[in-house]
Amino acid sequence: MMHRTSSRPLAKIMMTAAVGVMAATGMAAPASAAEAPQAERTHMGAQWETVTTWVQGNVRTGPSTDYSIAYTVAANQNLTAVCWLEGGTVSANGYTHNKWVYLSDNKYIWGGLLKGNEVGNVSSLCW
């Protein structure tokens, strides 16, 4: 079983969400919170990759089952991946780990739903 070693990516995502809410309501965000989220910075120079699901599963608004479901994908569906990161641990389909793939639509899918290794063979780590 993989353990989460850092809460930095999740904290950065949560901060970005707060900034988005503030912007939508017309509130000013502190300068340090207004920077791009870590995952978005990582993909600017990275090659996006195609990942394929091996079972039906949920795509979420953040890298944990604590986040809401954005949409559901079917088995053998192709998605565009940006990078991978550690998030909430999931146990399903005979796998247990905390690897999540950040998608080009700013959503997340647990790597255990993807063909290949635990991150769907995505080569870029989100940082």
Side-chain angles (χ1 to χ4, degrees):
M1 179 165 114
M2 303 295 292
H3 294 284
R4 185 176 180 169
T5 57
S6 171
S7 63
R8 292 180 70 193
L10 181 56
K12 198 65 155 174
I13 291 163
M14 292 173 65
M15 179 63 77
T16 301
V19 170
V21 170
M22 292 174 74
T25 60
M27 297 172 61
S32 61
E35 63 182 288
Q38 294 292 355
E40 287 184 27
R41 268 196 253 137
T42 297
H43 81 269
M44 288 185 184
Q47 179 75 23
W48 290 5
E49 303 173 62
T50 299
V51 294
T52 305
T53 57
W54 70 276
V55 293
Q56 177 179 314
N58 296 321
V59 174
R60 297 186 175 269
T61 58
S64 162
T65 57
D66 293 338
Y67 287 90
S68 63
I69 297 170
Y71 54 91
T72 300
V73 291
N76 296 309
Q77 185 167 339
N78 290 330
L79 303 166
T80 303
V82 177
C83 55
W84 67 270
L85 67 154
E86 292 182 353
T89 299
V90 176
S91 293
N93 306 314
Y95 297 98
T96 299
H97 64 77
N98 67 345
K99 303 297 190 290
W100 290 77
V101 174
Y102 178 67
L103 302 173
S104 63
D105 64 358
N106 299 316
K107 305 295 186 266
Y108 298 80
I109 188 167
W110 178 60
L113 301 174
L114 303 173
K115 293 180 180 181
N117 63 16
E118 62 187 11
V119 294
N121 296 332
V122 174
S123 58
S124 298
L125 174 64
C126 302
W127 50 273

